Amino acid sequence: MDHTAIDLTQVLPARIQGVGTSQIGMVADRGRDDPEVVKLWIGEGDLPTPPFVVEAAHRAMLAGETRYTYSRGIPALHQALSDYHRRHWGVEVAPERFAITAGGMNAIMQACQALLEPGEEVIIPVPGWPNLGEAVRVTGGVPVTVPYRQSADGRFTLPLADILAAVTPRTRIIVVNSPSNPTGWVMPMAEMEALMAAARERGLWIISDEVYNHFTYGNAIAPSFLQISTPSDRLIVTNTFSKNWAMTGWRAGWIVYPQGLAATFGKLGQYNTTSIPTFIQHAAVTALEEGDDFIRTMVGRCAEARAIMVEGLSRLKGVTVFPPEGAFYLMARVETGEKSLDLAFRLLREAKVGVAPGTAFGPEGEGFIRICFAISPELAREAVARLARVLG
């Protein structure tokens, strides 16, 4: 018998072999355990989970909420989510249209599992969060990218005509991430309405990733597709507790699906995770019911750090900064002649600042770095000073 070692990755399905390696993870893994590094690579703020959420989880554990529960989540959390959407967007979403997921990533994955047949196409704007395209690949779909454009003042834009030009007979889904990671683009309500009308006409689904809705830097939060849809529209909205309430490690998110699909997402929840921990769901209820002030604190800190970073980095030689309308990321073009990944490694080594290479979000991000500014003003000033010593 031939016992010659073989590379077993080569016998895996093609859709799994084709899954990309996260460049953000590549950079982060080199400096994750270095306490001197200012870590701005991952979409995570520097505030801990607020005590009132932690205490709610502790109370729930002490009360015995440590057992299996409903695969779509506990009814109290469905009701709290319904109330939350009414309070912030003025929409009525029935509690039975929510399912609780293991973070926003699992929400995206379940949406793709529910909707995609092998070989069907999914339109994704780029540069974009890489997990969106990889979830499509893992579930057998084909990502079709549509590049953002940049206006004369450097703002990122996404003309509706560009999205619709990418539609083919194989198109199944259009993904919208507004406010966008990493560009900070925010889709205006009028364009949402036009896209919804086009999707209805063509029988297409929209997956709207609305994780950063509260993080805008004007007078109002970003609009939601739920404001312009009916319960029977082919719309799935995904979200997470990670950003608003500093709960990244808790792995709690939610999905909003059309009326009549509760049983479908109950089964998907069952076979993906069974459910997320019951005591975490009770803590999530508390986050929704008592956490609006914390969200305002988070957004206020981001606004201040954003201003510091835009002003400071725009002074550096060869650096062009594009102030984002929303989310908490800064896309900066840095002209050093290096590849974005090489530059990210050098900034980690020489400046002790961890950033994400632009190519982590697709080849369209070459020449850029992405900086997370969900940090204190003091840390933002320190990061700018360190980057200035290397790039200035």
Side-chain angles (χ1 to χ4, degrees), residues 16 46 75 79 103 105 107 115 147 183 213 255 278 280 292 364 390:
I16 301 302
D46 63 341
Q79 185 60 56
M105 183 63 242
L115 301 183
T183 65
N213 267 1
I255 191 167
T278 311
I280 288 179
D292 285 358
E364 298 79 8
V390 175

Side-chain angles (χ1 to χ4, degrees), residues 1 11 58 94 108 157 192 217 225 271 299 306 350:
M1 181 179 295
V11 301
H58 188 209
I108 292 287
T157 64
M192 283 185 167
Y217 306 102
F225 271 95
Y271 301 131
V299 175
R306 169 182 178 268
E350 298 180 10

Side-chain angles (χ1 to χ4, degrees), residues 132-192:
L132 292 169
E134 299 307 331
V136 170
R137 288 189 181 92
V138 167
T139 52
V142 179
V144 175
T145 58
V146 175
Y148 288 96
R149 300 190 184 202
Q150 282 187 270
S151 58
D153 62 0
R155 289 183 306 108
F156 288 93
T157 64
L158 185 64
L160 181 62
D162 289 2
I163 297 174
L164 297 182
V167 174
T168 76
R170 297 293 298 168
T171 303
R172 176 71 165 171
I173 302 168
I174 298 171
V175 172
V176 176
N177 172 213
S178 171
S180 162
N181 171 15
T183 65
W185 166 82
V186 177
M187 191 174 210
M189 177 69 84
E191 292 185 13
M192 283 185 167

Side-chain angles (χ1 to χ4, degrees), residues 4 43 47 64 101-102 161 168 185 204 260 309 371-373:
T4 304
L47 288 178
T101 61
T168 76
W185 166 82
L204 301 175
M309 287 197 153
I371 297 171
C372 174
F373 57 80

Side-chain angles (χ1 to χ4, degrees), residues 344-366:
F345 283 136
R346 183 163 72 88
L347 293 176
L348 177 62
R349 186 174 60 253
E350 298 180 10
K352 291 288 187 176
V353 176
V355 302
T359 45
F361 309 95
E364 298 79 8
E366 186 61 87

Side-chain angles (χ1 to χ4, degrees), residues 101-352:
T101 61
M105 183 63 242
N106 183 235
I108 292 287
M109 189 66 76
Q110 287 195 32
C112 291
Q113 290 168 343
L115 301 183
L116 279 174
E117 293 281 5
E120 291 185 324
E121 295 174 351
V122 179
I123 294 174
I124 302 175
V126 290
W129 185 42
N131 297 35
L132 292 169
E134 299 307 331
V136 170
R137 288 189 181 92
V138 167
T139 52
V142 179
V144 175
T145 58
V146 175
Y148 288 96
R149 300 190 184 202
Q150 282 187 270
S151 58
D153 62 0
R155 289 183 306 108
F156 288 93
T157 64
L158 185 64
L160 181 62
D162 289 2
I163 297 174
L164 297 182
V167 174
T168 76
R170 297 293 298 168
T171 303
R172 176 71 165 171
I173 302 168
I174 298 171
V175 172
V176 176
N177 172 213
S178 171
S180 162
N181 171 15
T183 65
W185 166 82
V186 177
M187 191 174 210
M189 177 69 84
E191 292 185 13
M192 283 185 167
E193 292 173 336
L195 181 59
M196 178 62 76
R200 287 170 178 153
E201 180 182 348
R202 294 165 171 79
L204 301 175
W205 284 83
I206 294 173
I207 295 178
S208 181
D209 178 0
E210 301 187 359
V211 166
Y212 300 99
N213 267 1
H214 285 286
F215 292 88
T216 56
Y217 306 102
N219 296 319
I221 61 176
S224 168
F225 271 95
L226 293 169
Q227 294 172 279
I228 58 167
S229 65
T230 71
S232 59
D233 275 318
R234 299 185 186 191
L235 170 69
I236 287 180
V237 175
T238 60
N239 217 314
T240 183
F241 289 88
S242 293
K243 315 300 182 180
N244 292 345
W245 301 282
M247 295 173 67
T248 51
W250 295 64
R251 309 315 307 135
W254 71 89
I255 191 167
V256 187
Y257 44 76
Q259 183 176 314
L261 294 186
T264 297
F265 282 93
K267 288 181 282 189
L268 287 173
Q270 178 68 41
Y271 301 131
N272 273 273
T273 61
T274 303
S275 70
I276 73 164
T278 311
F279 55 88
I280 288 179
Q281 296 190 51
H282 284 277
V285 171
T286 299
L288 291 164
E289 293 180 343
E290 302 178 20
D292 285 358
D293 286 343
F294 184 80
I295 294 174
R296 284 188 282 269
T297 296
M298 285 276 286
V299 175
R301 291 170 92 249
C302 286
E304 192 171 350
R306 169 182 178 268
I308 291 166
M309 287 197 153
V310 167
E311 180 183 5
L313 295 179
S314 63
R315 296 176 180 174
L316 303 185
K317 180 181 178 182
V319 178
T320 306
V321 178
F322 308 104
E325 298 176 70
F328 47 59
Y329 306 104
L330 200 66
M331 284 288 276
R333 184 183 292 281
V334 184
E335 299 175 20
T336 65
E338 299 165 273
K339 298 291 187 182
S340 293
L341 183 58
D342 293 336
L343 176 60
F345 283 136
R346 183 163 72 88
L347 293 176
L348 177 62
R349 186 174 60 253
E350 298 180 10
K352 291 288 187 176

Side-chain angles (χ1 to χ4, degrees), residues 53-67 250 277-280 282-283:
V53 176
V54 176
E55 291 161 5
H58 188 209
R59 288 194 303 270
M61 283 189 279
L62 292 176
E65 299 291 354
T66 57
R67 304 178 70 82
W250 295 64
T278 311
F279 55 88
I280 288 179
H282 284 277

